[in-house]
Amino acid sequence: MFYFGIEHEVAFLNQEGKFADFTHTKFADFAQIVEKLPIYPNDYPQLRVGDAGIKKKRWYIEGFERFADSEQPIDCSAKGIEIRTTIHTNIQDAVNELSQSFHLLREVAKSFGYMPVLASYNPYKTVFEPQPPLNDFEIKQLQAYPDEQTANIYMVSYGPDLNISVANMSTDRLIDIGKKLTYYSPYIVPFTYSSPFYNGSLWEGLSVRTFIRTGKRSATLVFVEKPEELITSIPSLTKVARIPAEIGRIEFKAFDSCDDFNIYAALLALFKGLILDETLQGRVTTPDAALHQISAKEGFDNQDIFANAKKVLKAAEVSLHNDSDAQLLIPLKIMLEQRQSKSHQLIEMFHKLGSIEAVLRKTY
């Protein structure tokens, strides 16, 4: 039995048509939107609420929490709004729930003058510098968690977490799958490339997000039950589950965001196939940063990336065999044949329209 879930980060243009980020958007600006969205009591305990209580709903504000001198947050620099689905045994059900949640978010955001747009990297801000600067307590907190030291990356990047788990899978097998997905990550991330803008203009590749984050942030995270099951690596491959529903979850974190949610369905089907597959032998504990950077610049135009993507897709398709989910892979096959990604469309639109905001308005 397979289980599926999706977390999807949404960026916005504000009332003035400017990209809404931490420089001029307050936590309260996004909080008024989330406030108006419904709460589903049956979602719990499978959705984690977290210590700060920000994650009470299927939608919550993604940002960087600020502290004074205790564990109790006093503020949060806002980045955007994240949508998360409940856990489903069917890929299409997870994607349908994400679509419904997105449409609700769009309607409510519109009433406050905000428009959701596809961005996988902040098109204007290259770094996040906390204001006011971090205090001693916050610095100590960050030093305790190596992955948290990359806030300067996650506050300017947007991407999905695609979650998949299999009932009763052993921890060893789970970690092996995590290593496998980390190894093949540079070949599959181009299916989602959508961050060709950087520092107010076109970047010289297809995914500035992949170029900057890989090697510093995890490609895959595997949630284990006990601390003694963790394996040491930077960035982390393993993490102790925070709630029982997380135990055994494989979370893939390296994709850019997609405004066509059918691509998420295709990628979850790909992961299902890769878990079933026994032919692909590549395994690594930490992502190959150099290979991801080649991938980020060239995508499927790079012969090695293209050939391996084809091999991975074929292996997944063969292992799915008569499973109806094999049909979900079709959009990936088309993209591979055309060697195209969303970034190609965004670049083309930018040449026609001449403005990043004009391009962003045409997403979703």
Side-chain angles (χ1 to χ4, degrees):
M1 176 75 83
F2 282 83
Y3 300 94
F4 308 95
I6 305 167
E7 298 165 58
H8 173 75
E9 292 179 325
V10 183
F12 294 87
L13 295 182
N14 65 15
Q15 300 87 338
E16 294 156 15
K18 289 198 166 70
F19 193 76
D21 61 24
F22 49 85
T23 49
H24 51 256
T25 311
K26 297 275 178 276
F27 184 82
D29 296 329
F30 288 144
Q32 63 186 352
I33 297 171
V34 174
E35 185 65 31
K36 287 265 190 285
L37 289 159
I39 197 154
Y40 301 94
N42 295 344
D43 287 357
Y44 310 93
Q46 55 168 295
L47 292 186
R48 192 173 78 88
V49 175
D51 304 332
I54 289 171
K55 303 181 179 185
K56 284 196 178 87
K57 300 185 178 183
R58 290 182 184 178
W59 306 261
Y60 66 87
I61 297 160
E62 188 66 71
F64 182 74
E65 289 173 6
R66 301 303 307 267
F67 301 86
D69 50 10
S70 76
E71 298 279 339
Q72 199 50 45
I74 53 163
D75 193 14
C76 181
S77 300
K79 173 175 101 169
I81 295 176
E82 177 151 325
I83 305 170
R84 54 189 176 161
T85 69
T86 52
I87 300 164
H88 294 269
T89 53
N90 174 290
I91 292 174
Q92 202 55 57
D93 289 348
V95 172
N96 292 347
E97 189 195 302
L98 176 64
S99 297
Q100 287 160 4
S101 290
F102 177 78
H103 290 307
L104 267 175
L105 173 63
R106 175 155 55 189
E107 288 309 302
V108 176
K110 193 171 145 188
S111 70
F112 289 102
Y114 286 88
M115 178 188 188
V117 291
L118 177 70
S120 294
Y121 202 87
N122 189 315
Y124 297 101
K125 290 283 160 206
T126 58
V127 288
F128 167 68
E129 286 166 353
Q131 292 303 330
L134 298 178
N135 60 40
D136 292 346
F137 177 81
E138 291 173 317
I139 291 165
K140 271 206 186 85
Q141 286 278 91
L142 290 181
Q143 282 166 347
Y145 304 100
D147 291 348
E148 289 302 316
Q149 291 170 33
T150 52
N152 59 318
I153 298 172
Y154 81 69
M155 281 297 287
V156 288
S157 65
Y158 301 77
D161 290 343
L162 297 190
N163 303 325
I164 185 167
S165 57
V166 187
N168 304 319
M169 186 182 269
S170 73
T171 303
D172 286 350
R173 177 91 178 101
L174 204 61
I175 290 172
D176 185 62
I177 297 291
K179 290 177 176 176
K180 180 179 186 175
L181 296 184
T182 301
Y183 180 89
Y184 290 103
S185 170
Y187 310 120
I188 59 176
V189 286
F191 287 120
T192 63
Y193 283 167
S194 62
S195 50
F197 302 118
Y198 182 72
N199 204 12
S201 190
L202 277 180
W203 185 63
E204 65 267 29
L206 300 169
S207 175
V208 69
R209 177 180 185 270
T210 301
F211 193 88
I212 287 172
R213 86 180 281 287
T214 308
K216 300 180 183 79
R217 305 271 296 166
S218 308
T220 316
L221 258 189
V222 171
F223 288 88
V224 297
E225 189 177 0
K226 306 180 197 90
E228 55 268 29
E229 294 171 321
L230 292 170
I231 60 170
T232 308
S233 66
I234 297 176
S236 306
L237 178 73
T238 51
K239 187 170 185 171
V240 176
R242 296 156 296 186
I243 56 171
E246 277 184 344
I247 297 168
R249 178 180 295 176
I250 300 160
E251 190 170 275
F252 192 81
K253 306 176 79 67
F255 288 132
D256 277 9
S257 283
C258 297
D259 60 352
D260 174 358
F261 298 151
N262 292 320
I263 304 301
Y264 292 157
L267 295 166
L268 284 169
L270 179 74
F271 288 153
K272 183 178 174 180
L274 292 181
I275 288 171
L276 295 168
D277 159 74
E278 289 174 3
T279 64
L280 298 171
Q281 299 304 313
R283 304 289 188 274
V284 287
T285 304
T286 53
D288 183 327
L291 194 54
H292 275 88
Q293 291 192 332
I294 291 167
S295 176
K297 285 209 160 172
E298 301 175 36
F300 296 134
D301 285 337
N302 179 284
Q303 207 40 52
D304 175 50
I305 302 293
F306 175 77
N308 277 290
K310 205 170 179 178
K311 183 172 138 185
V312 170
L313 193 50
K314 188 71 188 157
E317 190 179 20
V318 168
S319 59
L320 286 169
H321 192 47
N322 292 330
D323 191 317
S324 60
D325 284 343
Q327 289 300 308
L328 296 174
L329 297 173
I330 290 170
L332 304 186
K333 289 181 173 175
I334 294 168
M335 259 190 264
L336 205 51
E337 273 167 29
Q338 299 174 345
R339 303 198 187 205
Q340 291 284 305
S341 67
K342 184 73 184 184
S343 278
H344 290 89
Q345 295 171 28
L346 298 173
I347 292 164
E348 198 179 316
M349 281 197 274
F350 181 74
H351 288 312
K352 277 186 193 151
L353 302 169
S355 130
I356 293 174
E357 286 83 4
V359 172
L360 296 182
R361 285 180 179 280
K362 293 199 175 291
T363 58
Y364 286 117

